[in-house]
Amino acid sequence: MKQSGQILLGVSGGIAAYKAAELARLLVKNGWSVIPSMTRTATEFMGTLTLASITEHEVHIDVGDHSPMDHIRTVRSSDLLLVAPATAHTIAKFAHGQADDFLSAAYLAHKGPSLICPSMNTAMWHHPATQRNLSMLRDDGVLICPPDSGELACGEWGDGRLAEAETILEYVAYSLSPKHPTLQGKKVVVSAGPTCEDLDPVRFLSNRSTGLMGFAIARALWCAGAEVVLVSGPTHLRVPAGVQMVKVRSAAEMAEAVHGHRNGAASVIMNAAVADYRPAYHPHKLKKDSFNGVLALNRTEDILATLGKDKNGCLLIGFAAETEDGIVNGRKKLIHKNCDGVVVNRVGIAGQGFESDTNQGTLIWRDGREIPLPMASKQDFANLLVTEIGDFMHDLAGIPNRDMAQ
Ligand code: CTP
């Protein structure tokens, strides 16, 4: 996942132009050098000084504003051309190759990837002419980050809101990430988060999983080119871009969702902290005076173990959250649940496992190899893990060339 370099950020003239300032700030914060370009109409919605200050680069409006051939020079050094917001007009100009300002000329001159984030009124978005233009751009290899649905500046409801800045950032990562030859186009099911086992309409049993690790794995898989189904227990996290999200609550619902989606999957990665026990459910609130203080618990299904009984060519990866004897316990789980790999990580200490932004662990393969996964942000940890999984599948298939395809 490429996470630094230069982005040419084009801003076209819609009401969402002001959101480009927040996007530029996020890109800069994430290590990108951002060269801003605005259409003339965009400068009526937001002054150039805002983007120039945030990015510390002059804003390009017309070809030759700052020096002759500056559109050519800028695209030569840019990893990505990103347009946010992209109006219907700019999309139409790109589709038809009209080059009458810096941004549209730069688009034609750019040989690398382009990412377009449309924003407009719903009727304009759904108009066959806009959809036709977008389909032409897709055919030309442009990646489209679809707009969100919701209340629009014009007062109407529907599709057309500029995607959230975090979502656009995920699309940036996707468009610049090398695709893994073994994972590309393959379906992978990932489970994430905790499960909640309801006791009555008010209370439940759960654990400290936040879902961060599983969501990061889903993001890394999407960036590597996989088709991802993310089955998650309750979390406060934003749905990652590009994945099929299945929200569940209990271990039983998670089991049903994972088994329901595993058909045709090349791999299932069980990262969820699934509750091992559930209480009997009381439809009415338990009153303290009539409760004897003892909870009767029943075992839930061990989803990973069930999957291990009938793998049918599916690569099965488990997680082992351990407070002690991690490698020994991880190996036991790998054998007992018939997994292909188990990621062991320590819980109960700061900086890894539950409720932490970072993680560290060891990936144990069924052939006995132990791969250390060094302390890193959960996203970097996930990126590394996904590359290891892709390489393992690659070796299993006996494919000689391990190079990543672009
Ligand atoms: N797992 C599962 N279904 C369960 C419990 C766990 O699929 N009911 C999966 C987890 O998603 C993880 C692996 O099994 O991939 C190991 O989970 P972990 O909680 O570390 O261990 P348990 O098997 O539950 O054993 P213990 O709690 O005794 O360590």
Side-chain angles (χ1 to χ4, degrees):
M1 232 188 234
K2 187 170 167 54
Q3 281 162 337
S4 63
Q6 180 174 296
I7 292 179
L8 169 55
L9 172 63
V11 181
S12 56
I15 185 70
Y18 75 94
K19 294 184 180 172
E22 174 65 7
L23 175 62
R25 200 192 59 80
L26 254 182
L27 288 167
V28 170
K29 196 175 150 206
N30 278 270
W32 294 97
S33 168
V34 178
I35 309 294
S37 166
M38 297 173 80
T39 63
R40 283 240 158 261
T41 325
T43 63
E44 288 168 24
F45 285 95
M46 177 171 68
T48 55
L49 195 57
T50 308
L51 279 183
S53 308
I54 292 171
T55 63
E56 296 182 22
H57 288 285
E58 288 167 322
V59 176
H60 296 269
I61 299 170
D62 287 312
V63 170
D65 268 349
H66 304 296
S67 66
M69 300 292 173
D70 49 2
H71 61 299
I72 309 281
R73 255 195 303 277
T74 305
V75 293
R76 270 190 199 145
S77 55
S78 296
D79 298 287
L80 176 73
L81 188 152
L82 162 65
V83 186
T87 57
H89 181 61
T90 292
I91 290 167
K93 281 203 320 187
F94 281 16
H96 295 276
Q98 288 175 10
D100 60 358
D101 58 7
F102 180 91
L103 182 57
S104 48
Y107 170 71
L108 289 188
H110 183 51
K111 292 180 187 156
S114 296
L115 167 61
I116 296 232
C117 311
S119 166
M120 64 197 75
N121 161 274
T122 304
M124 292 171 76
W125 167 253
H126 287 292
H127 195 285
T130 305
Q131 292 304 317
R132 207 164 40 239
N133 288 334
L134 283 165
S135 141
M136 285 166 78
L137 289 182
R138 275 192 206 96
D139 290 347
D140 290 343
V142 174
L143 181 66
I144 315 287
C145 169
D148 285 343
S149 204
E151 190 177 8
L152 304 170
C154 57
E156 288 177 22
W157 282 78
D159 301 329
R161 283 169 65 98
L162 181 66
E164 297 292 332
E166 284 82 4
T167 305
I168 296 175
L169 236 62
E170 289 176 337
Y171 269 83
V172 167
Y174 175 85
S175 57
L176 294 172
S177 294
K179 305 299 169 246
H180 196 290
T182 332
L183 288 168
Q184 189 160 24
K186 298 272 168 44
K187 177 177 168 184
V188 181
V189 179
V190 182
S191 74
T195 65
C196 293
E197 309 304 322
D198 291 331
L199 175 57
D200 67 13
V202 181
R203 306 160 179 112
F204 58 88
L205 300 183
S206 190
N207 57 65
R208 295 171 63 173
S209 170
T210 56
L212 268 178
M213 191 66 247
F215 277 49
I217 294 170
R219 229 177 270 119
L221 283 164
W222 179 57
C223 283
E227 286 170 19
V228 187
V229 180
L230 175 58
V231 180
S232 177
T235 76
H236 297 293
L237 303 176
R238 203 174 40 82
V239 177
V243 310
Q244 183 188 342
M245 182 82 205
V246 183
K247 292 185 180 176
V248 298
R249 183 165 175 81
S250 62
E253 285 177 16
M254 181 163 282
E256 192 183 343
V258 170
H259 295 312
H261 283 90
R262 67 157 294 186
N263 256 355
S267 177
V268 177
I269 304 174
M270 282 298 299
N271 170 255
V274 189
D276 292 321
Y277 288 92
R278 63 177 164 75
Y281 183 68
H282 297 262
H284 301 292
K285 188 183 172 195
L286 279 172
K287 304 303 284 180
K288 56 178 168 288
D289 291 340
S290 55
F291 180 57
N292 65 3
V294 178
L295 272 184
L297 300 175
N298 292 310
R299 281 290 288 269
T300 59
E301 175 187 330
D302 189 321
I303 307 168
L304 187 59
T306 308
L307 291 168
K309 285 184 186 135
D310 177 23
K311 291 205 281 192
N312 199 15
C314 174
L315 192 90
L316 203 54
I317 309 289
F319 270 70
E322 307 292 344
T323 52
E324 54 206 346
D325 300 329
I327 299 293
V328 173
N329 285 326
R331 282 195 187 285
K332 278 188 195 156
K333 281 177 190 173
L334 184 134
I335 292 162
H336 174 64
K337 304 195 189 199
N338 194 25
C339 298
D340 298 284
V342 160
V343 180
V344 180
N345 66 295
R346 280 284 302 275
V347 289
I349 53 173
Q352 50 187 300
F354 297 140
E355 295 174 323
S356 168
D357 291 338
T358 50
N359 210 0
Q360 179 182 12
T362 306
L363 167 61
I364 308 175
W365 285 118
R366 67 169 188 226
D367 59 15
R369 281 181 303 133
E370 285 178 19
I371 315 286
L373 300 168
M375 177 66 78
S377 71
K378 282 193 171 165
Q379 191 58 63
D380 286 344
F381 184 96
N383 298 346
L384 199 59
L385 175 63
V386 163
T387 304
E388 287 293 340
I389 292 171
D391 287 354
F392 188 82
M393 289 167 80
H394 195 271
D395 290 349
L396 273 186
I399 305 168
N401 182 1
R402 294 160 63 114
D403 289 346
M404 301 273 268
Q406 275 297 328

